[in-house]
């Protein structure tokens, strides 16, 4: 599946975003063409996973793909638990930040028990383990990636195994909107920030509507710490079908011979 127009490298070209991640602080906003601003929680993203994050991660099953992983707090937390996890993000700064977290001395032993990596990759690019991930995460507004929720959710459904789990964070309000936005670090005229790109904001009801078209069914909704979440599943394989032989696996990024059962991290 090809990336929606302007979606693939949008965050990568957003210099204020890279600057904020490298410093670990804002202010940072998504700004619409009409001047409306959505504050971005850079400090929370750059900190360790908080209590609400950990409650979400407690619900994850098996191998986890974190789409739009940002500076990697969730990837690091899952790796520390010994879970197999891969974070993908189009931002060099985000992937570098995640790699630093995973490379710290305190993480190495935990990673040996499971595995944690980050790739500079769009969700619409070819990814390791397609069709075999147990859980996909769309946190921190990442249901908006690409500005077309139907396309994004169809892609996510294709990444999950039959019966796989999607956990998505949604807007607190019942909204369903698409807009052309920029990442900016100051309140000013449109055009002063990163490259414009399409983005979407969805409340839980809108997410559930789009999800049905992608073959995903809602299995849970909850609020915690002022944040809203939904859990959805893909259709299960037929009871007469043979169970999958392997779950998603991420390998070392060192070159190695590909296998039909174990996708390599970079291809």
């Amino acid at each position: 599946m090809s990336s929606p127009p302007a979606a693939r490298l949008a965050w990568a070209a957003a210099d204020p975003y890279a600057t904020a991640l490298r410093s670990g602080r804002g202010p940072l906003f998504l700004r619409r063409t009409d001047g409306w601003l959505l504050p971005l929680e850079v400090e929370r993203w750059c900190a360790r996973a908080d209590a609400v994050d950990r409650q979400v991660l407690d619900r994850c099953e098996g191998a986890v793909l974190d789409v739009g992983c940002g500076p990697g707090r969730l990837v690091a937390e899952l790796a520390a638990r010994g879970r197999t996890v891969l974070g993908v993000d189009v931002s060099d700064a985000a992937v570098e930040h995640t790699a630093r977290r995973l490379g710290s001395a305190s993480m190495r032993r935990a990673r040996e028990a499971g595995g944690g990596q980050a790739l500079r990759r769009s969700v619409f690019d070819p990814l390791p383990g397609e069709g075999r991930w147990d859980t996909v995460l769309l946190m921190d507004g990442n249901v908006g990636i690409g500005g077309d929720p139907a396309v994004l959710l169809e892609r996510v459904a294709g990444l999950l195994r039959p019966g796989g789990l999607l956990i998505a964070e949604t807007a607190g309000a019942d909204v369903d909107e698409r807009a052309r936005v920029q990442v900016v670090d100051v309140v000013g005229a449109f055009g002063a920030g990163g490259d414009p790109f399409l983005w979407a904001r969805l409340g839980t009801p809108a997410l559930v509507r789009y999800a049905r078209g992608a073959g995903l069914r809602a299995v849970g909704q909850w609020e915690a710490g002022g944040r809203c979440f939904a859990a959805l599943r893909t259709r299960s394989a037929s009871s007469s079908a043979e169970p999958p032989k392997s779950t998603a696996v991420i390998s070392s990024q060192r070159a190695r011979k590909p296998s039909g059962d174990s996708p390599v991290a970079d291809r």
Side-chain angles (χ1 to χ4, degrees), residues 111-134:
R111 287 181 63 204
E112 290 175 1
Q117 290 187 21
L119 294 177
R120 186 182 180 277
R121 197 86 51 98
S122 164
V123 64
F124 299 104
D125 289 336
L127 293 174
E130 295 199 12
R132 301 204 303 278
W133 290 99
D134 299 298

Side-chain angles (χ1 to χ4, degrees), residues 56-57 59-69 74 78 83-88 123 127-139 142-143 145 152-161 163-169 207 216 222 229-234 247-248:
V56 170
L57 300 184
R59 296 172 180 254
C60 290
E61 301 169 355
V64 182
L65 177 65
D66 185 5
V67 172
C69 66
L74 305 180
L78 285 166
R83 302 288 292 275
T84 297
V85 55
L86 174 65
V88 295
V123 64
L127 293 174
E130 295 199 12
R132 301 204 303 278
W133 290 99
D134 299 298
T135 304
V136 170
L137 295 174
L138 286 173
M139 298 281 280
N142 285 329
V143 292
I145 290 173
L152 176 62
L153 291 169
E154 181 182 353
R155 173 58 173 155
V156 168
L159 294 169
L160 286 162
R161 65 167 173 79
L165 179 68
L166 165 63
I167 300 179
E169 184 170 354
L207 174 71
L216 293 157
W222 70 99
F229 305 91
L232 307 101
R233 286 195 184 275
T234 58
T247 189

Side-chain angles (χ1 to χ4, degrees), residues 7-13 68 88-92 94-95 119-123 125:
R8 182 176 177 180
L9 298 178
W11 285 95
V88 295
D89 204 292
V90 296
S91 164
D92 281 328
V95 173
L119 294 177
R120 186 182 180 277
R121 197 86 51 98
S122 164
V123 64
D125 289 336

